[in-house]
Amino acid sequence: MNFALKCITRKGVIRGFMVELNDVSVTYSSGVDALEHVSLKINDGDFAFVVGASGAGKSTLIKLLLKEIDATSGTVTVNGYQLNRLKKKKIPELRRTIGIVFQDFRLISSMTVYENIAFVLRVIDSPKKLIRKRVPYVMGLVGLQDKANAYPNELSGGEMQRVAIARALVNDPGLIIADEPTGNIDPELSYEIVDLLKTINMQGTTVLMVTHEHELVRRFGGRIINISAGQVVFDEIVEGTDYEA
């Protein structure tokens, strides 16, 4: 598969790591300590699972990386942007360097598969020539080349998640964050989605997959970051059980 999406000379990106948290804590106005003194580094080209129970701090981590919230203390760097110092007008620029895959797909029901993917490029005024070239390319990568004119309600859950992955890829992000991407699909299809994300990662794109499905993580193995009660309690590379690449 010829998958040359990653641009290692992307302007403003510090090579070597994509995400770095240094002694980061987040305390909400309610007084809840969502993250406590978290230090974490996601290297350029990593594939990492972030696991933890509901309320462990996984959602807070995602919101931090997208600068939907700010750290109470500590520093956060994403794709070369120091989020503590990032001005509000620069936030859209940051987010264009990140592809996000949601659990609930978030496809636009009135748009075809092609239009859903192209929409990402149209909102940033990409040239029509680029859209015509790029959209079919990423559709082919995720195996949806025959679904260009289909609408979301005509797709299976697995197909809808593949559209979401293609949409996340189309703007050539340095980092993909997959937030519970297998939560709304059958277990058998879950393996296919993770396998697809692994393939994308092997071609050079950094992937951070957030999940509560420990069995899925054990099957694939790799780098596992376990968050519990707002703290990183485990961060190691483990061998998968019965997954064959």
Side-chain angles (χ1 to χ4, degrees):
M1 184 182 297
N2 182 16
F3 193 163
L5 287 180
K6 187 164 168 52
C7 178
I8 62 173
T9 59
R10 185 179 286 106
K11 184 178 179 181
V13 172
I14 299 174
R15 294 183 63 182
F17 65 85
M18 307 303 285
V19 173
E20 187 171 32
L21 280 68
N22 286 316
D23 196 25
V24 169
S25 295
V26 174
T27 301
Y28 288 115
S29 58
S30 62
V32 173
D33 294 321
L35 292 178
E36 296 185 63
H37 303 290
V38 172
S39 292
L40 180 66
K41 183 180 290 185
I42 306 298
N43 296 309
D44 191 353
D46 273 1
F47 186 112
F49 289 105
V50 177
V51 301
S54 178
K58 304 189 304 297
S59 295
T60 296
L61 176 63
I62 293 174
K63 290 176 181 178
L64 267 180
L65 301 184
L66 296 174
K67 201 169 169 60
E68 293 179 0
I69 61 172
D70 293 319
T72 306
S73 62
T75 60
V76 181
T77 304
V78 179
N79 291 350
Y81 294 88
Q82 293 186 6
L83 303 196
N84 316 61
R85 303 177 181 177
L86 194 65
K87 296 180 179 179
K88 187 175 181 179
K89 66 180 181 181
K90 287 285 189 178
I91 293 176
E93 182 179 307
L94 160 74
R95 291 176 181 166
R96 285 196 292 270
T97 72
I98 304 170
I100 182 76
V101 180
F102 298 100
Q103 176 180 351
D104 56 357
F105 317 132
R106 301 197 187 181
L107 304 181
I108 301 171
S109 61
S110 61
M111 291 185 177
T112 64
V113 168
Y114 183 100
E115 291 167 342
N116 264 280
I117 299 169
F119 182 74
V120 176
L121 297 176
R122 287 175 176 148
V123 296
I124 59 172
D125 295 323
S126 295
K128 291 182 180 179
K129 184 177 180 180
L130 173 64
I131 295 172
R132 288 195 298 266
K133 181 178 181 180
R134 185 73 180 168
V135 175
Y137 175 63
V138 296
M139 288 178 59
L141 289 174
V142 301
L144 290 174
Q145 55 269 40
D146 297 329
K147 298 289 184 177
N149 296 319
Y151 288 88
N153 64 359
E154 299 172 328
L155 304 176
S156 67
E159 288 170 336
M160 284 192 284
Q161 196 56 285
R162 286 175 177 268
V163 177
I165 292 171
R167 185 181 56 191
L169 283 171
V170 75
N171 195 34
D172 190 14
L175 168 70
I176 286 182
I177 298 174
D179 182 13
E180 301 281 5
T182 60
N184 283 336
I185 58 178
D186 294 335
E188 296 80 7
L189 294 175
S190 296
Y191 301 139
E192 293 183 12
I193 293 300
V194 179
D195 199 26
L196 175 57
L197 290 170
K198 286 274 190 178
T199 300
I200 290 166
N201 169 252
M202 285 189 292
Q203 301 299 326
T205 301
T206 305
V207 177
L208 189 63
M209 178 173 162
V210 179
T211 183
H212 68 277
E213 297 185 53
H214 290 266
E215 179 56 39
L216 190 69
V217 172
R218 282 192 292 269
R219 178 184 172 100
F220 280 85
R223 184 178 176 189
I224 315 298
I225 301 167
N226 193 335
I227 299 179
S228 178
Q231 297 180 322
V232 174
V233 296
F234 182 87
D235 184 358
E236 300 287 345
I237 296 175
V238 302
E239 187 174 347
T241 55
D242 60 350
Y243 171 70
E244 295 182 1

